[in-house]
Each structure stands twice: as structure tokens, then as C-alpha cells.
Amino acid sequence: MQFGSDDLAKYTFLPQAGDFIRSQGISISDLASNDYQKVVKRAEQRVLEAMKDAKISQDISDREIEIMSFPVALMLVKSTNLEHVMSRFALAEAIRVEQFLKRERNGKIIEELFKTSLGLELEHNYQNPSLPDFKIPLEEYLRRASEFHKTEWKLVNRLVGEGKVFLIQDDLIRLIREEIRIMIMARLKEIKVSKLPENLQEVVKEIIRAAPPPPQSPYTIIHIAPENYPPCVRKALDMLDKGENVPHYGRFLMATYLLSVGKSVDDIVALFPKAPDFKQNVTRYQVEHLAGLKGGRTRYRVPSCNTLQTHQFCFMDPIKCYQITSPLQYPSRKSPELAKASADKNSKSTRAKSSSTQTKERSKRDWTKTRRR
Amino acid sequence: MDENSTQIVRRYFKEYYFRHGTQIKSPSDIGSREFGYLPFGAMMVRHLSFKDIGALRAMLVREVPAGAYCSNSLYVDPTAEMHLKGWKKAELIFDIDADALKQPCKKVHDIWLCKSCGRKEFGLRPDICRSCKSNRLLELPWACPMCLDAAKKETFRLLDFLEFDLGIAPVETKVYFSGNAGYHINVEKSAYETLDTHGRAEIADYLSGRGLTPSIFASQRLLPTDPGWRGRLARYIRDLPEDDQTFNSGSQFENRLSELANEFSKKQIESFMNRFLSENAVRIDSMVTTDVHRIFRMPETLNNKTGLVKRECGNNLAEFDPLSEAVALKDEEQKAQVFVDMCPKIELGGRSYGPFKSETLELPLYIGVYIASKGAGKFVSGKGEEIAAQTKGLGNQ
């Protein structure tokens, strides 16, 4: 199907929007000319809004400018060479798309957009007005919805028939927001930007000035030595440190892990302010929920290594993660290399071992035992 | 099981694999599957691979295991340690266990045993032993034709969900009698093969109605033609008999819905929901469905808990009689002396035996194997070799 310029202005990430720009035959050097000043201005606005407010305005009255400013914004963001700027921009663009999609009245557009951009076969339910408007394959629903913990997302509370799940538009769009973010992020990683004209270089500098700085170090507020944290937890902390958007499972892992090693809810909430979508009260509620203080009063367990692998949040260290099944077992006690290293160390230091080192090692072991209980 | 009985049961198994091993079919993509077997009196052997079904059949005749298992998952390297196997996908599997259905006949045929004083009695396990007041009580469940019928009904209920809710073509679904007390259902091809354990857990919860919120009951938009649980609920409300005590508003569907939405208290809705679920949800063992690293008993192999075959039920599940069609070697002439400690009435191979208590009897060998495998008796010492000699053409191993 053909997208109109109205659609391309809303969904600027569509490949068809790229075709439109190509048809105009513009080169990067053209962006220095006065003819494209409005485009550059809007691109700058998109990025600055994302940096300052974590969302992007939705005025599409000048469609051509809206369409053309998106790739220019991508170039500007890419040129900052800062991961947390890219991440913040991708999330804000995803939220912009999400808002347009939730208001989209043309079912065919949604169907086509899902198919071409997400590879997801969506069906519009035209036959039965008493049922929700869309259906998606059940397995595709499960792959996405198992990330959500609210009971309304459980399959049992959904309308299911012949291997399809019926969804109202809002739920359908909520289900794929993360994918749009990932798609825009992937686009950012993929593009290569040659030297920008001077006026754009100035804009890039302005963006860097406006971007929230990455926090100094998240580890300073942690009482247990961070080197004892498994690589997956460290990765999540590191991403937060850089102001990147940590995927759902990363946040879930980090919070449950820190809770289980004795961190307080306050300690954990204090790690989040740099997250692009940070809202103090929401984060607090979520962490309290995981701690079993809110909602179903179940204290959530740290996800297993298997689960983390399933959710692509495993950053295995082949030696220290050897044969462990949970991040709580890190560092591995089964690893032959670690056992050997520890035996060598013990035999060398038997005579000269200071009492402080002994205490330190004992406390490390005791801690491991406590965690496992 | 005592040594003599183990020897006889093992020989019975060997004869079955020798004579009927060719019935064991190759699972699809055999080279990508993990196999395992449980030797008599030893620990499970896992992480095996067979390049073809011939090699597997040869192993069965050579090793004569008490149980033979195959993964429903496919791996890059099935012989590697679990985390290095490289999981590719897994068939969707379900286990329906008659014991979990808690049929009323359980109190007639189940046995409990006190591990402290040795008291053994028919009936449901009490909280404490009636003699010594110990709470170390063991349950020995049996499955009678009634229990197995209930499991079959549950299987039909599952098949309905699989076809109409999950959209799985019936031709892809195979049903097996487990060889003991229930049914195994295996979906050979579906869109769900690459689902992880969380996705499978959602399917298991869906089938068992776990997590269903009562808000569904307060909806006046329910229609019998609706898909999924909503349609099931609407049809259930519509089809309850006119004199059902739940509703005061008569048999009209719309009136009942309105009464449910407007007049039922929270407590009444909850109790109605429990009733609805107990009559409509499928009671499956969700551990089996969600575990993608499991090895599952192979079809046409013997179940060590009974000596019966895990048998495919074919196209006519309604007519399938597990207790006669799953007997491995039905030879009424081949007899054995069996001391039966305690066992309820057994219906096997189209005939019934017992109940027995502390008596020595001459019974067909397959009945003896069943009793010994259930742990309800043993072959009388000295007869093992004799029975061994009766089996044709086999070595004395």
C-alpha cells in the first residue's frame, strides 16, 4: 500500500520516508544552504526536546520538513558519538511514534507498518464489532507480553482464538513500543556520517551541551565491592551510568539482585535518575513491588541465568560464570580455574597471610552462603 | 524391588524390546535430540545421542533399561552439558496425571504406608498414622479404569483448547497413554516451538485458568460465540440447567448475565468462578509443559512403574482402552508365583484380579510384573530362573 505524506510525517522511520528524501536529491552539503534552514531547525528541535524533556513535539503541519528533519536529526545525534544521547533520542522518537499510532484511525496503515517494519503479521478484525480491532499471532503476543507483569497482560485474561490474540489498539501499540525504540537505535548504530557542514557542527555542539551528563559513577553509592557483582548486573549499572535505556529484564535483574544482597529500596531508586524515562514515584513503586512491599506482596526472585539468556541479558564471563545457574552464585565455585587460582594463592600466602586478609576472605565466603540461603 | 523380582521384570522388559522393539519409531530429527535411560537399580544416564533409530533399539535390547527417554527439545549438540547444548526449539508437551484429578475412587484403591511403624492400609493418607501417630506417611496411588477415564476426559478438554484457542491442527497432536496413570500429549509441529519457558508457562496458565481475573465475570458483553475463555464462560452460563441454584433469574442467558454483573457479591462471583474453572480448566502438570530441558518417556517403551507400554492412542481416543491395549506381553499361559503384600482390584488385559492381601498366588507373568513394579508384591524366590528359562530364544543374561 501507499503511504501518504501525512503518514510519512508521523512515521518518519518508515523506509518510504527515506525514498521521499532520496527523490528530492539532497546531499549533506545542501544542508548548509538557506533553503534547508527550516529542516535543520526542526531536526535540532527534535533532538533538543529529546534531551531536555525526553519527548518530541508532534506538530506535523509542515509535512516535508517533518519527514526530512528525521534523518538529519539522526545524523546530528550520531555525530555526538555519545551512547546515552543516542539512547535518549531513540526512546523519545519511539514515544512520539507510539502517540501517533495510538491515535491512528486507519487500520490498514497500522497493519502495513507492523508488517514492513516489525515483520509482524497483523490482522484487522472487520467482521465482529463486539471484539477488539486487531489480532496478532499468539506466539508473537507471548514473546512480548511475558515482559509485562500486570495480570491484564496474562494470556488467560486476553481474548484468544485459533492461535490469535485479540487486542485493542492501545494495547497493541504498547506491546511494540520497545521494538520501535530498538529499531531507531539500530538505525542510529548503522548510519555513517561524513563530515558535516559548519552550521550543523555547531548544532552538534549545542546538543552535547544540552544532553544530561552521564553520572560520575554508580558504584560509589554501593556498599559491597562492585567487582563482586556478576557481569549482567554490572552491565545494567553501567548502562544506567551512561544514561542509556536499560531493557526491562536488565532493570528487573538489577533491582531483584540488589534487593537480595541487602540494598534498600532507596538505594536502588537512587541509581535511576539518569534513565531516559525516569519518574521517581513510578520507579519507587516498581522497586517496592519487586521487594514485595506493594501489589501482590510477592518478593520477586532474581531471574536465573537461563531466563537472562532467554531475554538476551546475559554477558557471561566464561571463568567466573562457569556452571552457575543464577547471578547469585557468582563468582562460580565450580570453576576449575578459579579453584586452582584460589589454591595457589592459599599455598603461597599460608605463612605470610595477614589476619586482615583472612577476615576479608572469610567474610566474602560467609556472604556467599547468606545469599544462597 | 528385591533382586529376584528385578531380574524377572528385567527379563520381561528384554523380551519386549527383543520382540517388539521395531514398533519404536524414530522421533523427527533424531540427531538433534538428547536421549537418556534409567538402568534397573541405578542412576539416570543422560546426554546421549543416537544417529538413527536402529542404534537406539540396539541399546534397548543390550542395556534393557527400566525407562527410556528422549528430549522434546532439539539441540545443536545434544551430548554437551546442558548450558552448552545450544537449544534450538522444543515441541509443546503436556502431561495429564489421573492422580492429580483426585477422583472419589482414590479412597478405595489408594494405599498409605507409615514409614515409622510399617502400618499399611487402603484409603486416603491420613495426617498421622493411626497406630503410632507418626506423620511420616507414604502415599501409594493406583489408577483404576475410572481414574483413567477421568484423565481421558481431561485430555479431550485439552485437545479442544489446543485446536480452538491455540489454533493447533489436530493432525499435529499425538496422544499417548503414559503407561501408568495418565496421558501424554505431544504437539509435533506448531508456531510455539521456539517459545521460551515463560511463554510456555503462560500457555500452561491459560489452560489451567490460573490468574483469570474475576472482571471477566462482571461483563455483560459476553457472547457464546466469543473466542477463548470468554466464550467458554458465556456458553457455560447459557447451558446451566434451568433449576441450577446459582441463578434466581431463570434460564434466559441475558437475565443470568445481568444478575451476575449487577447482583452477585464479590464472594459469590469468586465461588462461581471456582466452580466454572473446576469444570472447564485443564489440569495439566505445568512443570512438564514449561521445562524445555526435559527428557520425556519415549512412545512404545515400557514404564518401570507398571511394566505397561507408553502407547499411542491412535485416531479413536474415545475407544482406546489403556488397560488392555498397553499390556506389553499378553501371554495368559506364562505364569509366575507372586507373593502379594497388598493390592486393590486390578483390571488389566481385559480381566480383573484381586484385591489381594498377604497371599501367594499363581498369576500371569504380566500381572506379576505389574504388581512387582507397583511395589505391591514380589516374585517368589527361586522362580526367577525358571521364568527366565521360559522366555524364548534369549540368553540367560
Side-chain angles (χ1 to χ4, degrees):
Chain A
M1 74 167 277
Q2 285 282 315
F3 289 105
S5 61
D6 212 19
D7 307 320
L8 298 182
K10 292 183 207 161
Y11 312 116
T12 44
F13 63 89
L14 282 169
Q16 288 87 337
D19 297 344
F20 173 83
I21 294 163
R22 266 186 290 281
S23 72
Q24 308 283 308
I26 322 161
S27 70
I28 288 190
S29 57
D30 292 339
L31 295 172
S33 80
N34 278 346
D35 298 350
Y36 294 102
Q37 229 180 14
K38 279 186 175 175
V39 173
V40 174
K41 202 74 211 148
R42 175 60 182 147
E44 179 184 355
Q45 189 190 22
R46 283 179 104 122
V47 186
L48 290 178
E49 282 176 355
M51 293 307 115
K52 288 174 184 161
D53 313 325
K55 54 185 178 196
I56 294 166
S57 52
Q58 294 163 46
D59 178 9
I60 52 162
S61 47
D62 198 332
R63 291 168 200 161
E64 285 190 13
I65 288 184
E66 198 62 15
I67 299 170
M68 289 197 288
S69 61
F70 177 68
V72 178
L74 287 178
M75 283 194 303
L76 294 172
V77 170
K78 178 76 180 212
S79 303
T80 66
N81 222 1
L82 292 171
E83 184 86 8
H84 73 282
V85 170
M86 292 193 234
S87 179
R88 203 173 168 90
F89 175 73
L91 181 65
E93 281 286 351
I95 291 171
R96 178 184 169 279
V97 172
E98 181 190 10
Q99 283 160 349
F100 278 122
L101 276 175
K102 281 189 172 170
R103 295 197 300 266
E104 181 62 66
R105 288 290 141 248
N106 188 343
K108 283 268 174 228
I109 296 250
I110 298 185
E111 245 172 88
E112 187 63 22
L113 202 136
F114 270 64
K115 196 171 169 185
T116 53
S117 299
L118 305 172
L120 213 156
E121 288 286 345
L122 193 69
E123 279 175 51
H124 200 288
N125 161 39
Y126 294 106
Q127 302 91 12
N128 192 340
S130 73
L131 298 175
D133 284 346
F134 294 95
K135 30 185 185 170
I136 68 165
L138 200 157
E139 70 281 8
E140 299 287 357
Y141 175 83
L142 288 180
R143 270 183 240 289
R144 292 160 177 89
S146 57
E147 301 276 322
F148 302 138
H149 290 292
K150 279 192 183 164
T151 52
E152 68 193 69
W153 290 100
K154 276 193 78 62
L155 186 65
V156 73
N157 291 315
R158 292 282 157 184
L159 268 174
V160 176
E162 290 172 355
K164 304 273 163 58
V165 178
F166 289 79
L167 290 171
I168 58 166
Q169 194 161 327
D170 272 17
D171 288 349
L172 177 72
I173 306 307
R174 174 67 191 91
L175 202 62
I176 50 98
R177 182 176 89 184
E178 178 71 358
E179 276 157 276
I180 298 177
R181 186 193 70 78
I182 292 171
M183 203 164 66
I184 295 171
M185 195 66 191
R187 184 85 75 84
L188 274 168
K189 300 242 158 160
E190 187 187 289
I191 58 167
K192 289 188 179 69
V193 185
S194 51
K195 198 168 166 15
L196 292 177
E198 221 159 273
N199 62 327
L200 294 191
Q201 286 181 30
E202 280 308 309
V203 178
V204 172
K205 282 181 196 157
E206 174 58 26
I207 292 166
I208 294 172
R209 274 195 294 274
Q216 292 309 303
S217 166
Y219 302 147
T220 49
I221 52 161
I222 290 164
H223 307 300
I224 298 165
E227 61 267 24
N228 277 341
Y229 290 161
C232 44
V233 175
R234 272 185 279 145
K235 172 77 178 176
L237 288 169
D238 200 40
M239 288 175 81
L240 271 185
D241 180 18
K242 290 181 181 153
E244 291 173 30
N245 189 45
V246 182
H248 170 81
Y249 240 85
R251 294 175 186 219
F252 181 71
L253 157 78
M254 196 189 72
T256 49
Y257 180 86
L258 293 179
L259 284 168
S260 68
V261 300
K263 291 283 169 201
S264 71
V265 171
D266 285 340
D267 289 343
I268 295 165
V269 174
L271 292 167
F272 279 87
K274 289 289 163 194
D277 57 351
F278 175 70
K279 278 190 193 131
Q280 168 109 13
N281 52 348
V282 175
T283 304
R284 173 168 297 277
Y285 178 86
Q286 286 168 341
V287 177
E288 285 177 347
H289 191 87
L290 296 179
L293 304 170
K294 287 273 159 70
R297 309 271 157 180
T298 318
R299 168 130 187 212
Y300 282 80
R301 288 192 197 168
V302 178
S304 66
C305 295
N306 251 337
T307 307
L308 290 166
Q309 277 162 11
T310 309
H311 293 278
Q312 287 145 28
F313 208 82
C314 170
F315 307 91
M316 197 202 280
D317 170 339
I319 294 173
K320 289 188 173 178
C321 291
Y322 182 74
Q323 282 196 351
I324 64 170
T325 56
S326 160
L328 286 172
Q329 292 162 355
Y330 181 90
S332 171
R333 298 198 304 178
K334 291 179 190 162
S335 163
E337 283 97 325
L338 286 182
K340 190 169 175 291
S342 154
D344 289 347
K345 199 173 154 195
N346 284 344
S347 66
K348 273 182 205 156
S349 58
T350 322
R351 284 158 304 204
K353 204 176 212 175
S354 73
S355 62
S356 71
T357 321
Q358 282 178 350
T359 319
K360 204 171 156 193
E361 289 205 344
R362 200 178 308 129
S363 73
K364 217 187 258 177
R365 273 202 301 276
D366 290 347
W367 180 66
T368 314
K369 268 187 202 160
T370 327
R371 286 185 308 171
R372 282 169 159 242
R373 218 170 278 152
Chain B
M1 212 190 295
D2 65 298
E3 186 51 44
N4 180 52
S5 301
T6 304
Q7 199 189 353
I8 295 167
V9 172
R10 191 171 182 273
R11 178 152 292 277
Y12 178 85
F13 275 39
K14 182 167 183 135
E15 189 181 350
Y16 171 77
Y17 287 126
F18 187 77
R19 284 213 247 153
H20 302 293
T22 49
Q23 286 177 10
I24 301 168
K25 293 192 196 95
S26 174
S28 61
D29 209 347
I30 188 169
S32 301
R33 294 189 191 248
E34 181 200 348
F35 290 83
Y37 67 88
L38 179 72
F40 279 97
M43 298 279 283
M44 178 82 91
V45 182
R46 281 191 71 163
H47 312 298
L48 304 175
S49 171
F50 292 96
K51 65 179 190 327
D52 57 49
I53 191 64
L56 175 75
R57 289 176 188 147
M59 179 282 282
L60 292 172
V61 176
R62 190 177 64 243
E63 302 291 335
V64 197
Y69 309 86
C70 167
S71 67
N72 57 318
S73 285
L74 303 184
Y75 301 100
V76 177
D77 180 1
T79 59
E81 281 179 61
M82 198 48 88
H83 69 292
L84 299 172
K85 277 189 185 342
W87 187 85
K88 294 201 280 191
K89 57 183 184 176
E91 292 158 355
L92 207 51
I93 53 172
F94 302 94
D95 179 19
I96 289 173
D97 179 13
D99 192 46
L101 304 179
K102 307 253 177 279
Q103 293 300 294
C105 48
K106 265 174 79 68
K107 61 175 177 280
V108 179
H109 53 60
D110 278 11
I111 296 169
W112 61 268
L113 163 72
C114 174
K115 288 188 84 179
S116 297
C117 71
R119 182 168 176 165
K120 211 174 189 185
E121 251 181 52
F122 283 115
L124 297 176
R125 182 181 62 176
D127 293 334
I128 50 167
C129 172
R130 292 187 185 117
S131 300
C132 70
K133 311 292 179 210
S134 162
N135 59 3
R136 295 177 59 229
L137 305 180
L138 209 67
E139 213 172 15
L140 311 167
W142 286 74
C144 72
M146 249 167 84
C147 296
L148 290 172
D149 258 357
K152 194 191 270 184
K153 279 199 190 107
E154 207 72 11
T155 305
F156 275 118
R157 212 185 268 180
L158 171 69
L159 295 176
D160 189 77
F161 271 98
L162 294 183
E163 182 178 356
F164 296 105
D165 294 44
L166 268 56
I168 295 168
V171 65
E172 298 297 348
T173 311
K174 291 250 181 336
V175 180
Y176 304 91
F177 168 59
S178 72
N180 182 19
Y183 289 89
H184 292 170
I185 296 88
N186 193 342
V187 179
E188 297 197 329
K189 245 192 215 135
S190 75
Y192 307 112
E193 287 175 345
T194 53
L195 274 188
D196 65 13
T197 177
H198 295 284
R200 285 164 202 259
E202 280 297 305
I203 289 184
D205 284 352
Y206 182 85
L207 300 168
S208 7
R210 242 191 314 273
L212 189 70
T213 53
S215 59
I216 182 181
F217 291 83
S219 167
Q220 286 203 49
R221 291 166 55 215
L222 291 176
L223 287 173
T225 49
D226 280 349
W229 275 109
R230 213 161 91 174
R232 275 169 219 280
L233 175 64
R235 293 191 291 276
Y236 181 72
I237 294 169
R238 182 195 63 189
D239 298 339
L240 280 177
E242 202 170 342
D243 57 353
D244 191 87
Q245 300 295 308
T246 314
F247 297 100
N248 296 318
S249 52
S251 60
Q252 268 273 315
F253 176 61
E254 289 75 17
N255 295 348
R256 285 179 168 185
L257 275 194
S258 151
E259 189 185 341
L260 192 64
N262 304 317
E263 290 167 43
F264 270 44
S265 69
K266 223 175 153 185
K267 216 169 169 188
Q268 279 174 305
I269 288 189
E270 213 166 276
S271 116
F272 182 63
M273 176 158 117
N274 289 339
R275 177 180 161 194
F276 164 66
L277 284 178
S278 72
E279 291 174 37
N280 290 275
V282 194
R283 284 162 286 184
I284 52 166
D285 179 347
S286 54
M287 282 302 290
V288 171
T289 302
T290 55
D291 182 358
V292 290
H293 296 301
R294 182 171 283 263
I295 47 176
F296 208 37
R297 191 178 297 285
M298 287 191 70
E300 305 304 323
T301 66
L302 296 174
N303 191 316
N304 52 310
K305 293 170 193 159
T306 57
L308 299 176
V309 184
K310 170 172 172 177
R311 186 141 275 169
E312 191 185 334
C313 303
N315 294 328
N316 198 347
L317 177 61
E319 293 299 313
F320 180 82
D321 174 11
L323 294 177
S324 72
E325 293 182 52
V327 173
L329 300 170
K330 195 172 176 304
D331 183 349
E332 300 290 345
E333 300 310 311
Q334 203 175 355
K335 304 277 190 195
Q337 290 283 318
V338 186
F339 168 77
V340 189
D341 180 23
M342 193 165 172
C343 100
K345 184 175 164 191
I346 302 170
E347 290 181 51
L348 210 56
R351 294 168 71 170
S352 65
Y353 304 87
F356 303 119
K357 198 167 182 180
S358 301
E359 49 198 300
T360 302
L361 309 122
E362 191 176 73
L363 293 167
L365 178 61
Y366 71 91
I367 300 290
V369 168
Y370 182 79
I371 290 171
S373 302
K374 291 290 280 181
K378 57 182 183 180
F379 288 98
V380 173
S381 186
K383 294 281 179 182
E385 289 305 309
E386 210 174 285
I387 290 160
Q390 290 179 28
T391 52
K392 302 135 201 161
L394 300 171
N396 205 17
Q397 186 190 334

